[in-house]
Each structure stands twice: as structure tokens, then as C-alpha cells.
């Protein structure tokens, strides 16, 4: 049996539509998993059943995270937010961590993952982010590239001793970058697993979890070994998540 991977979609409030780039499902399919796009629901017991039904989760990219979730006022530089998706992402990530079900969070998903764990975000990198003294690159990188999105635009350093380092078997990687928000204060309980050349955190993870990992780039839009390894880790970890049995 394939591991069921629940994909959190974006939600278009005006049109009452869920939307998700097919690349996420295709990446899970290629890794041997069963991709399932989740609905958005405000019914807590329904969400709990959906969570129980899944073996692992992929938290996709999307709108800006509501700064109220990390105790900040919404600044003008913050772009569109989606309260219904925020609510479900928050509840789902929290519950997946409690149940120790594998989770890979991407882009906005990574930002939300940091917020759920108690961290904060930059609401807008171009106007708020200043590289630290220790950064290799003192001028901020362009983190919001133009198409085509499969082309890498900046490097990341992968930290030794992390799950991400184990998974990729490399200390560096070139990645795409399609984000204007980013991780500010790293959440307690999480570790930074990758940094961009300008010092920005590009991946975080929770040590000791079956898999609780978040990357700021979009592996689902990039071909190559690194992307394949990330999705294989999600699917393979999820195959072991049902009562500790391999499914
Ligand atoms: Mn970036």
C-alpha cells in the first residue's frame, strides 16, 4: 500500500475554491506516495478524522501568514492573507507534531511551521531584512525570482548534523526562491538546517521527530536528486508512521 500524503491547498476566499499546484502531487507520486488534496474545513472533528486518515503531510506554499498569529500588527508591506487557510494550517501542523506524523512544509508552509512552533517572520524581506555581520553576502539576495521557477537563483548551506544534511548528503545546494516573507526568530524547539548566503534561514526542522522539516525553496518545481530525496524521505517516513508498522 502507498503512504497517504495529505496536501494542504491554498484557499481562494472570494471564489470559494481550493487551489494547489499539481507539481506537489506529482512529486509525491514520483516518490511512490498516494497524494491526496485536503479540503478546507472549519469543523474540528472532521479535520481530526482527515488527519488520522493520513500517514504524512505536505504543507504547500501560498498566501502570507497573518502576523497576528505571532503577535505582530499587520504592516502595509504584508500582502494578502487567508484566515481560513491559516486556521487549518495551524491546527494541522500542531496535531501532526503531536502525533509525530511526518511533515514536509514548503515556502509559506515553512513560515507557518515556524510560527506554530513559536517563532516569528519578516513580513517583507526587501524592506525589513538586513544581513547579519557574519553573513557571506552583505547585501540581501533576491528571494523573489521571476519565472522560470525551476532555475536555482541562490545557494544554501546545509548544516551538518541535521536530518536535512543526512537526507541530501551534501553541505550545499543551489535553490529557487519565490518568497517575500521569511523566518525572523527561529522557533524554540526547532533548529536551522540551512541558510542562504545572506544569512537568511532557509530550512528548519524539529530534532527527534519522525520527520518535521520545512524548506523555504520549492523542491516540487525543481528536477534533480535533492528534490527527489526530500520527497522520498517524506513518503518513506510516512510508510512507517501507522502504528509503527510499515504499510
Ligand atoms: Mn530564498
Amino acid at each position: 500500500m502507498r503512504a497517504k500524503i495529505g496536501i494542504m491547498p491554498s484557499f481562494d476566499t472570494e471564489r470559494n475554491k481550493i487551489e494547489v499546484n499539481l507539481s506537489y502531487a506529482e512529486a509525491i507520486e514520483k516518490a511512490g506516495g498516494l497524494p491526496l488534496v485536503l479540503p478546507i474545513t472549519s469543523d474540528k472533528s472532521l479535520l481530526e478524522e482527515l488527519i488520522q486518515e493520513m500517514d504524512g503531510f505536505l504543507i504547500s506554499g501560498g498566501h502570507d501568514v497573518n502576523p497576528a498569529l505571532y503577535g505582530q500588527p499587520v504592516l502595509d508591506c504584508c500582502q494578502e492573507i487567508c484566515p481560513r487557510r491559516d486556521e487549518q494550517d495551524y491546527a494541522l501542523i500542531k496535531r501532526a507534531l503531536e502525533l509525530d506524523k511526518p511533515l514536509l512544509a514548503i515556502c509559506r508552509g515553512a513560515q507557518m511551521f515556524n510560527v506554530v512552533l513559536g517563532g516569528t517572520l519578516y513580513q517583507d524581506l526587501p524592506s525589513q531584512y538586513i544581513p547579519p555581520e557574519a553573513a557571506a553576502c552583505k547585501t540581501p539576495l533576491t528571494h523573489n525570482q521571476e519565472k522560470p521557477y525551476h532555475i536555482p537563483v541562490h545557494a544554501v548551506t546545509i548544516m551538518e548534523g541535521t536530518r536535512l544534511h543526512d537526507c541530501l548528503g551534501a553541505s550545499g545546494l543551489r535553490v529557487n526562491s519565490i518568497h517575500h516573507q521569511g523566518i525572523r526568530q527561529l522557533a524554540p524547539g526547532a533548529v536551522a538546517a540551512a541558510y542562504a548566503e545572506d544569512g537568511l534561514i532557509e530550512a528548519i526542522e524539529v530534532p527527534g521527530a519522525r520527520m518535521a522539516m520545512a524548506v523555504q525553496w520549492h523542491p516540487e518545481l525543481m528536477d534533480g536528486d535533492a528534490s527527489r530525496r526530500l520527497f522520498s524521505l517524506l513518503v518513506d517516513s510516512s510508510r512507517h508512521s501507522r502504528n509503527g508498522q510499515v504499510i
Side-chain angles (χ1 to χ4, degrees):
M1 253 165 82
R2 295 169 200 247
K4 294 177 194 166
I5 309 296
I7 303 174
M8 264 301 293
S10 278
F11 181 65
D12 183 326
T13 311
E14 228 167 77
R15 294 186 298 150
N16 199 37
K17 280 191 174 183
I18 56 170
E19 290 178 330
V20 69
N21 193 325
L22 189 59
S23 306
Y24 295 106
E26 287 170 339
I28 290 167
E29 186 184 330
K30 276 186 210 152
L34 185 70
L36 292 159
V37 178
L38 299 171
I40 302 279
T41 175
S42 301
D43 184 327
K44 288 188 171 60
S45 70
L46 179 66
L47 181 61
E48 175 65 17
E49 270 194 63
L50 285 166
I51 292 170
Q52 293 290 346
E53 196 61 38
M54 300 299 136
D55 301 307
F57 301 95
L58 194 158
I59 314 296
S60 68
H63 296 94
D64 282 358
V65 174
N66 188 350
L69 291 172
Y70 48 92
Q72 302 281 325
V74 181
L75 305 177
D76 286 344
C77 60
C78 185
Q79 295 174 5
E80 195 181 348
I81 56 174
C82 179
R84 287 195 71 190
R85 172 155 188 205
D86 279 347
E87 188 189 351
Q88 182 157 321
D89 260 352
Y90 198 100
L92 190 152
I93 292 169
K94 191 164 173 284
R95 193 70 180 124
L97 287 165
E98 281 169 9
L99 296 168
D100 200 18
K101 291 204 179 196
L103 180 150
L104 174 63
I106 291 174
C107 197
R108 165 220 152 78
Q111 294 158 8
M112 184 53 109
F113 182 73
N114 187 55
V115 168
V116 171
L117 289 163
T120 65
L121 304 178
Y122 291 104
Q123 291 187 37
D124 180 59
L125 292 171
S127 62
Q128 294 186 316
Y129 184 64
I130 301 163
E133 269 306 304
C137 174
K138 299 286 186 288
T139 46
L141 298 170
T142 300
H143 285 278
N144 210 350
Q145 76 185 83
E146 304 287 332
K147 284 182 178 175
Y149 293 142
H150 67 281
I151 304 290
V153 293
H154 69 71
V156 294
T157 301
I158 315 284
M159 306 309 286
E160 264 180 56
T162 61
R163 191 82 187 281
L164 184 65
H165 191 274
D166 277 358
C167 169
L168 300 181
S171 299
L173 184 67
R174 287 194 58 79
V175 298
N176 55 6
S177 195
I178 315 163
H179 58 112
H180 86 106
Q181 296 203 317
I183 292 169
R184 187 171 209 154
Q185 240 170 6
L186 178 65
V191 299
Y195 290 90
E197 297 143 291
D198 63 359
L200 189 70
I201 294 174
E202 285 268 339
I204 65 172
E205 59 186 45
V206 176
R210 201 181 295 273
M211 180 188 183
M213 193 182 280
V215 297
Q216 186 58 75
W217 65 92
H218 282 271
E220 81 286 0
L221 297 177
M222 295 175 72
D223 290 326
D225 193 45
S227 292
R228 273 195 299 277
R229 283 177 182 231
L230 267 178
F231 289 105
S232 290
L233 181 65
L234 175 63
V235 170
D236 294 345
S237 305
S238 301
R239 290 184 68 235
H240 290 76
S241 77
R242 206 177 285 168
N243 304 320
Q245 305 281 313
V246 180
I247 55 172

